[in-house]
Amino acid sequence: MTERWLDEVEMRAWVAFLDTSNLLLQRINQQLREDGGLTQPQYELLTRLAEAPGQQMRMAELALALVTSRSGLTYQVTQLEKAGLVRREACASDDRGILAVLTAQGEQALLKAAPGHLRVVRENLIDLLDRDQLTTLADTLGRARTHLRSAGNG
Amino acid sequence: MTERWLDEVEMRAWVAFLDTSNLLLQRINQQLREDGGLTQPQYELLTRLAEAPGQQMRMAELALALVTSRSGLTYQVTQLEKAGLVRREACASDDRGILAVLTAQGEQALLKAAPGHLRVVRENLIDLLDRDQLTTLADTLGRARTHLRSAGNG
DNA sequence: CGGTCGTAGTTCGAATTCGAACGACGAGAC
DNA sequence: GTCTCGTCGTTCGAATTCGAACTACGACCG
């Protein structure tokens, strides 16, 4: 088929998405570092564990949720384990499996970092939108995510 | 003030935004690598140069546009210079300045990579949205970007 | 002119990321 | 059982990123 370039609105949407994503992650990292030693990937990791049943997850499952490589996850879990925020546990039902478990100290670190993190997310995205716009954002990007997860994953 | 957590809609919007951003960048990188040696940051860099007047930009200006550090930009421009896609040029009006200039070969590389890149962006984001949703996305994320750029930049 | 302050781009070391290769285990065919 | 295939988590080397320190230059004041 003929190449379909992006028209003006499409281009605005795409570039705004890309820029906002980069700028927001940059700002979040900056805030977390000032707040006291967590990076954005680490915050995300702890959050996923906190929301998981039993506050624990299989490594492979966690890597998928965080959209990172298995080797990258191994690295971050090791870092967080050294810091005492996460511990590794054997998986009862599968001897190959490793469970990453949130520790009490990890929960504390999350609670300590959350207010500043949420403030940045609110100030620079959430609170700029009204209710309809928020719903549209959740719906449209939710559909994109579903599409990206279901389609050829590699 | 009391801590304001995210309600259900806010959380859906934020998580969808984060996930989609990660997944889309991952997919774009995968596609570009299969297509033949450009990374997403490199594609972005070449695109900005192609859109700039004279197909050239000051290093500092380019770093701001790409939301990257000055040292990171130095590295990427050096890589692209080795590949012949970009060349450095002295800045006439400011002896401190360096201009990154898109070469003819760089333009060719961009034209070669663009169709596959656009296809991924369309399939996984743009073409999933109707016209109103696209406009909303462009407007809301455009406002977020403006806010992020104007507010305390560090 | 000399002095001071801010900016431009690079260099350096440290941290993080990825993909490929590896060893260990589970699932099923036979 | 044993063979084969796929998955799980880690290790390894290479590539990329950042922030801090550095040098060179512009702008402004006296």
Side-chain angles (χ1 to χ4, degrees):
Chain A
M1 82 174 167
T2 55
E3 293 174 18
R4 295 166 57 211
W5 292 86
L6 300 181
D7 66 31
E8 192 266 346
V9 174
E10 290 168 341
M11 183 63 96
R12 272 206 305 135
W14 170 234
V15 176
F17 179 81
L18 214 48
D19 287 352
T20 302
S21 167
N22 286 332
L23 286 164
L24 204 40
L25 289 179
Q26 187 186 61
R27 185 65 56 97
I28 287 171
N29 257 316
Q30 168 190 341
Q31 204 284 327
L32 285 174
R33 204 170 308 114
E34 291 170 0
D35 211 66
L38 273 187
T39 63
Q40 191 271 335
Q42 291 172 343
Y43 183 94
E44 269 298 300
L45 196 160
L46 296 181
T47 300
R48 300 285 181 155
L49 286 186
E51 291 169 347
Q55 304 199 324
Q56 57 187 12
M57 265 197 232
R58 287 285 296 268
M59 293 291 282
E61 187 187 3
L62 193 49
L64 278 179
L66 295 173
V67 194
T68 190
S69 63
R70 288 173 299 162
S71 53
L73 180 62
T74 294
Y75 175 78
Q76 280 298 356
V77 167
T78 302
Q79 297 306 109
L80 292 171
E81 200 173 25
K82 287 178 187 169
L85 309 185
V86 159
R87 68 187 149 81
R88 278 183 236 244
E89 211 167 284
C91 181
S93 60
D94 187 341
D95 278 356
R96 297 169 302 177
I98 298 283
L99 290 170
V101 188
L102 187 66
T103 66
Q105 198 178 343
E107 197 173 352
Q108 289 306 311
L110 203 47
L111 288 174
K112 176 169 173 292
H117 174 78
L118 285 179
R119 190 175 54 76
V120 172
V121 173
R122 282 202 170 280
E123 281 183 1
N124 296 287
L125 183 65
I126 300 295
D127 285 353
L128 299 176
L129 313 184
D130 63 32
R131 217 60 196 171
D132 283 347
Q133 292 171 333
L134 261 184
T135 305
T136 300
L137 198 67
D139 289 349
T140 55
L141 296 185
R143 184 157 56 245
R145 172 179 51 186
T146 302
H147 191 269
L148 282 157
R149 290 223 131 110
S150 65
N153 52 13
Chain B
M1 81 175 168
T2 55
E3 293 174 18
R4 295 165 57 211
W5 293 86
L6 300 180
D7 65 30
E8 192 265 346
V9 174
E10 291 168 340
M11 184 63 95
R12 273 204 306 135
W14 170 234
V15 176
F17 179 81
L18 214 48
D19 286 353
T20 303
S21 167
N22 286 332
L23 286 164
L24 204 39
L25 289 178
Q26 186 186 60
R27 187 64 58 97
I28 286 171
N29 257 316
Q30 167 189 342
Q31 203 285 327
L32 285 174
R33 205 171 306 116
E34 291 171 357
D35 212 66
L38 275 185
T39 64
Q40 191 271 335
Q42 291 172 342
Y43 184 93
E44 269 298 301
L45 197 160
L46 296 180
T47 299
R48 300 287 180 153
L49 286 185
E51 291 168 348
Q55 304 199 324
Q56 57 187 14
M57 263 197 232
R58 288 286 294 269
M59 294 291 282
E61 187 186 3
L62 193 49
L64 278 179
L66 295 173
V67 194
T68 190
S69 63
R70 288 173 299 162
S71 53
L73 180 61
T74 293
Y75 174 79
Q76 280 298 354
V77 168
T78 302
Q79 296 306 109
L80 291 171
E81 201 173 24
K82 287 179 186 169
L85 309 185
V86 159
R87 68 186 149 81
R88 278 182 235 244
E89 210 169 284
C91 181
S93 60
D94 188 340
D95 278 358
R96 296 169 302 178
I98 299 282
L99 290 170
V101 188
L102 187 66
T103 65
Q105 197 177 343
E107 198 173 350
Q108 289 306 309
L110 202 48
L111 288 174
K112 177 170 172 293
H117 174 78
L118 285 178
R119 190 175 53 76
V120 172
V121 174
R122 281 201 171 281
E123 280 183 1
N124 295 288
L125 182 65
I126 300 295
D127 285 353
L128 298 177
L129 314 185
D130 64 32
R131 216 60 196 171
D132 283 347
Q133 292 170 333
L134 261 184
T135 305
T136 299
L137 197 67
D139 289 348
T140 54
L141 296 186
R143 183 159 53 245
R145 171 179 51 187
T146 302
H147 192 269
L148 281 157
R149 289 223 132 110
S150 65
N153 50 16

